[in-house]
Every structure is written in C-alpha cells, then in structure tokens.
Amino acid sequence: MSRWKALSTELDPRVRQLLTQLRRLKDHSGLSMRQLAAKTGYSEKSWERYLGGRSLPPREAVEALARIGGVDPVRLLALHEVAADTWSGGRHLAASTPQGPAPELVPELSPAPTMGPAARPNPETEPETVTVAGRSLRVALVAGAVALVLALSSAALLVMRLDGGDGEPAAAHPAVSTAPVPSSAPAYTCRVERTDGLWYAGISRTRDIELAYGAVGPEVAEAQCLLRRAGISPGGIDGMFGPLTQRAVKAFQTRAGLAVDGSVGPHTWKALRG
C-alpha cells in the first residue's frame, strides 16, 4: 500500500474524489509507479503529477488505470468529466491571484446591482457572469448525478481481480473507449494452450485475418491473449483494438523482426502462434 502525501486543500472536492479513487486503484493493482508507467504508456513522472494532484490526468490515463485495476471505467470517466470541468473552471484562476480577486471573477463575487438608472450593466463583465453561472449550474447537475452513481456502486469500484502468476489484471469488464459502449459487450478469458506446435487462446483459431486500429471482436481478443502470453501487455482482454493494443503489437513486431505497422496480419499471426 502506497504512503500517499495528503492532497492539497485548495483542490476542488470533486477533483479530490477522483484522485482518491485513482490512488485506491493503483494501490490495489500492486504496481509500482514504474510498472504503472510501462503498462499505460504514461511516464512515471506523469503519474506522480496526476496522483499527487499537481496535474489532472487525461481521460485516456484514467481509462487505462481502470483496465489495469479490472474495473468498469464508466463511473470513473463520469467523475473525470466533472473534475475536468471544475479544474478548468476556477482552480487555476484562484491559484494565479495572490492578492484580491482577478478582474474576470469580479462579476461572480460582487453583489447584485441595485435597480435604478445608475445600475447599468457592464458590457465587458456581464457576458462573463452569464458564462460562469451557466458552467457552475452544469457542473452542479453532473456532480449530483455522479455522486449518486458512486454512492450506489462504491463497493464495486474496490473489487480487484488479478490473474494468477503473471501480475496481469483479470478481464472481468470490457474496456470503454471515448464512444459509448453497449452494456452487453462481451468479456473474454484467455485459455492459452499449445496444439500441434501452435499457441491458441481458445477464442479464435484464425491465422490470417487482418486486424487494425479500431477493430473489435473475438479475433482481437485472441491477439491480445497471445500478446500477453508473449510477455507484452495489451491492456485488458476486451476485444477492442485501441491504443494500448496497437502499442503492444508494435513492440511485438519490433522484437520479432517484423515490419512495424501496428496491425496484425498473416506474418504477425504466425509469430504470435509460433
């Protein structure tokens, strides 16, 4: 279990909630910062900034950590959306004003003008007031919805499953890309065995189908299992050819002396099964 430094009290509570969940996932994964960097593609220093509250992690980093933790990333991504809005909506403005409110924040902090001839709207500050108020309302609504979801499913976020032996997370949940994913998306389990001198993962027996970035289906899950067997992590075994899988394919092709194009064709299948 990592001994985390306390998060800054200047952070918005919704940002603190996101970082607390990410810290728990990292702790339950049992990975060091260096191992986490190797599995996600984000540097060790980047993760130190993200989990230390000095920089908001990108959406893809949150999704990658959820995969490694073996949890459904939907709730974390919803929380990240709220945190990203509040992060860009006021934290840096507050930190950049050592004395007194910044001019652009005056409309939000000043009392409402009294009615009368002297109470004329300021054409420079009134549009900013409307923008800030609208953004605050949207953040409040989204935050309420996320808080309800997290309250109903917080126990599920802490359920971690690891495969025996190799330290890889179990594929208990399908990965989620930036596009909506149906709740009925299948989960795959690797059952790797060698038959007639070739490796199979028990999902597909193809040896020549072309797979490229954006492909989905059991053939992608088969390739992910074989990449994992070869000692290169593609992320989760979700049947989705995303950036982590493409990075793993390129690493395998480099090691096998193949043309490095990041797609799986007959030559890459032959090397994976051999």
Side-chain angles (χ1 to χ4, degrees):
M1 185 72 68
S2 300
R3 302 184 65 180
W4 297 105
K5 182 179 179 181
L7 293 170
S8 171
T9 56
E10 295 181 0
L11 288 174
D12 186 278
R14 286 155 288 195
V15 176
R16 292 169 63 88
Q17 187 176 17
L18 171 65
L19 298 183
T20 298
Q21 296 292 341
L22 295 180
R23 286 181 171 189
R24 289 177 180 173
L25 283 175
K26 190 268 182 188
D27 287 342
H28 281 276
S29 72
L31 299 176
S32 65
M33 285 293 191
R34 179 174 298 179
Q35 292 170 327
L36 183 62
K39 287 180 176 290
T40 61
Y42 292 88
S43 70
E44 184 177 350
K45 290 187 178 296
S46 293
W47 277 114
E48 290 175 354
R49 292 196 306 273
Y50 299 157
L51 299 178
R54 299 192 302 275
S55 177
L56 187 70
R59 179 186 178 92
E60 293 76 9
V62 173
E63 184 177 359
L65 182 53
R67 288 180 180 175
I68 290 173
V71 300
D72 189 339
V74 171
R75 301 177 187 87
L76 281 178
L77 292 177
L79 185 57
H80 178 272
E81 180 180 352
V82 177
D85 209 339
T86 58
W87 185 278
S88 62
R91 179 181 183 275
H92 290 100
L93 291 176
S96 63
T97 55
Q99 292 183 355
E104 59 267 31
L105 293 182
V106 170
E108 182 180 9
L109 299 178
S110 299
T114 58
M115 298 300 295
R120 297 178 180 177
N122 188 327
E124 295 182 356
T125 60
E126 185 171 356
E128 177 66 13
T129 304
V130 174
T131 302
V132 173
R135 181 169 56 204
S136 299
L137 177 59
R138 186 168 76 87
V139 169
L141 291 175
V142 177
V146 172
L148 177 60
V149 172
L150 290 175
L152 294 176
S153 57
S154 58
L157 289 175
L158 300 179
V159 178
M160 306 294 144
R161 297 193 302 162
L162 299 177
D163 289 339
D166 61 357
E168 292 290 344
H173 301 277
V176 174
S177 65
T178 54
V181 177
S183 59
S184 60
Y188 300 94
T189 301
C190 300
R191 297 183 176 87
V192 179
E193 60 180 3
R194 194 168 180 83
T195 305
D196 296 330
L198 299 177
W199 290 104
Y200 294 94
I203 303 174
S204 172
R205 298 185 70 82
T206 183
R207 295 169 63 181
D208 55 6
I209 190 171
E210 294 280 349
L211 301 176
Y213 188 92
V216 295
E219 291 80 12
V220 177
E222 177 81 7
Q224 290 171 331
C225 288
L226 296 179
L227 286 166
R228 179 177 289 182
R229 187 211 66 81
I232 303 176
S233 173
I237 308 301
D238 51 19
M240 301 177 66
F241 202 123
L244 295 179
T245 299
Q246 185 181 61
R247 188 179 299 118
V249 170
K250 288 183 178 181
F252 178 80
Q253 289 171 332
T254 300
R255 193 174 72 183
L258 302 173
V260 180
D261 58 7
S263 61
V264 180
H267 295 296
T268 303
W269 277 117
K270 182 178 180 181
L272 285 171
R273 296 207 183 279

